[in-house]
Structures are given as C-alpha cells and as structure tokens.
Amino acid sequence: LRVIMISAAATGVIAVFAVASILQGLGQIYVETKYGQDTLAMFIRQMDQSVTAVDEEDARQQEEWYVYHGQSMASLLNVHEGFATRETLQRWCDILNIDFVMLFDANGNETLCNRDYSGFTLNKGLGNNSSDFHRLLLGIPSIVHEASTDATTGLERQIIGVTLPMADGAHGALI
C-alpha cells in the first residue's frame, strides 16, 4: 500500500508539473502572439501612411506636370497665334491624354475649345468653385482644383488652369 501511495504521489507531482509547464508555455505563446499582433498592426499602419504619402506625392507631381504643359501651351499660343485652332488643341489633348483645352479671353468668356463646347465662362461649366479661375485673368500663374462634378455637364473632372498672356498685355486663361 505504501508503494502504491508513493507511486500515486509521484505521478500526481509529475502531472501537476506537466500541466503547469503546459499552462506556462501556452501563456508565453499568448503573450508573444499579442506582441506580434501589436507589432504587425503598427507595421501595417506605417505602410498605409507610406502608401498615402507616395500617392499624395504622385498626385502633386502629376498636377505639376499638367501645369508645366499648360504653361508651355500658353507660351506657344502667345508666340504663335496661328496655333489657336481647334485641330491644334485636339492634337495637344491627344498627346497629353486630356479631355479638353479651353481658351478664355480677358473677360472670362470661352473663345476656343478642341471640342464642340460653347458658351462656357469662368463662372459656369467648370465644376465647383469655377469662379476661382477668374484669378487667372489677374495674372495668377496657375490654379489646380480637386476633381469635382459639374452641375451643367454632369462630368467629374479635375480642372487645371494657367494664365494666358495676351498681345495687349491683358491675361486670358487656358483651362
């Protein structure tokens, strides 16, 4: 009976140590998993911030690219008045992969467009806050708007405009 009791006690002690070891190991795995989860969440958050920053920089560079080409077009139109034709504007649109180019006089009225658009002014037809483009007539070099939907046409577009120097010293606009 004594041997059985000693064997049972030894088996009980071994079982308690085994269960304690298993529980300790599971606890350690849980803690390491939690730390790994927190680290992974922080890594994902930093990656999202990096992607957002890259996207914003890409959009800014693309806007600068369009402003540069708009200013180049305005310079060419200022030097060579013969370029102010619907065909030339359409060719530029095809090359630069843009929807339309509109020219406006010093009063903010449309004078030429590569498409059959007519009657546009700097007050209507160019999306939200289109009257902001009136500043181009004052000589502001460029204006870049976020994409918006125009109530007149129903089209969602990002509008970028540059000032268009005119022969009499006034300023028009190239949108």
Side-chain angles (χ1 to χ4, degrees), residues 3-93:
V3 173
I4 294 175
M5 289 303 279
I6 291 174
S7 296
T11 304
V13 168
I14 291 173
V16 167
F17 279 124
V19 169
S21 295
I22 290 171
L23 289 177
Q24 178 67 25
L26 288 175
Q28 189 64 28
I29 289 172
Y30 173 77
V31 168
E32 288 180 22
T33 302
K34 183 67 176 151
Y35 287 146
Q37 196 176 32
D38 292 344
T39 302
L40 187 59
M42 183 173 43
F43 177 70
I44 290 172
R45 197 170 36 252
Q46 287 176 344
M47 253 180 59
D48 288 342
Q49 290 172 349
S50 295
V51 167
T52 301
V54 166
D55 288 345
E56 289 172 356
E57 179 63 20
D58 183 47
R60 186 190 62 75
Q61 286 181 355
Q62 187 174 10
E63 289 169 357
E64 287 178 2
W65 186 84
Y66 281 117
V67 166
Y68 168 77
H69 286 291
Q71 289 171 337
S72 297
M73 284 187 271
S75 294
L76 284 171
L77 290 169
N78 187 32
V79 173
H80 304 286
E81 292 179 12
F83 283 177
T85 65
R86 180 175 285 176
E87 293 77 24
T88 302
L89 296 183
Q90 182 60 50
R91 200 157 167 226
W92 288 342
C93 288

Side-chain angles (χ1 to χ4, degrees), residues 92-105:
W92 288 342
C93 288
D94 294 341
I95 291 169
L96 297 173
N97 194 29
I98 54 179
D99 293 330
F100 62 87
V101 173
M102 283 186 186
L103 304 180
F104 293 87
D105 63 15

Side-chain angles (χ1 to χ4, degrees), residues 139-151:
I140 301 295
S142 65
I143 296 175
V144 177
H145 277 197
E146 296 295 321
S148 65
T149 302
D150 176 48

Side-chain angles (χ1 to χ4, degrees), residues 67 100 102 104-109 120-148 150 157-164 171-175:
V67 166
F100 62 87
M102 283 186 186
F104 293 87
D105 63 15
N107 296 321
N109 297 314
F120 279 78
T121 68
L122 289 179
N123 288 328
K124 70 174 187 176
L126 298 175
N128 295 340
N129 302 317
S130 62
S131 62
D132 188 34
F133 288 104
H134 268 285
R135 297 185 307 148
L136 295 172
L137 304 179
L138 301 173
I140 301 295
S142 65
I143 296 175
V144 177
H145 277 197
E146 296 295 321
S148 65
D150 176 48
R157 298 287 185 260
Q158 180 178 20
I159 308 294
I160 298 174
V162 297
T163 191
L164 179 63
H171 298 280
L174 183 145
I175 306 291

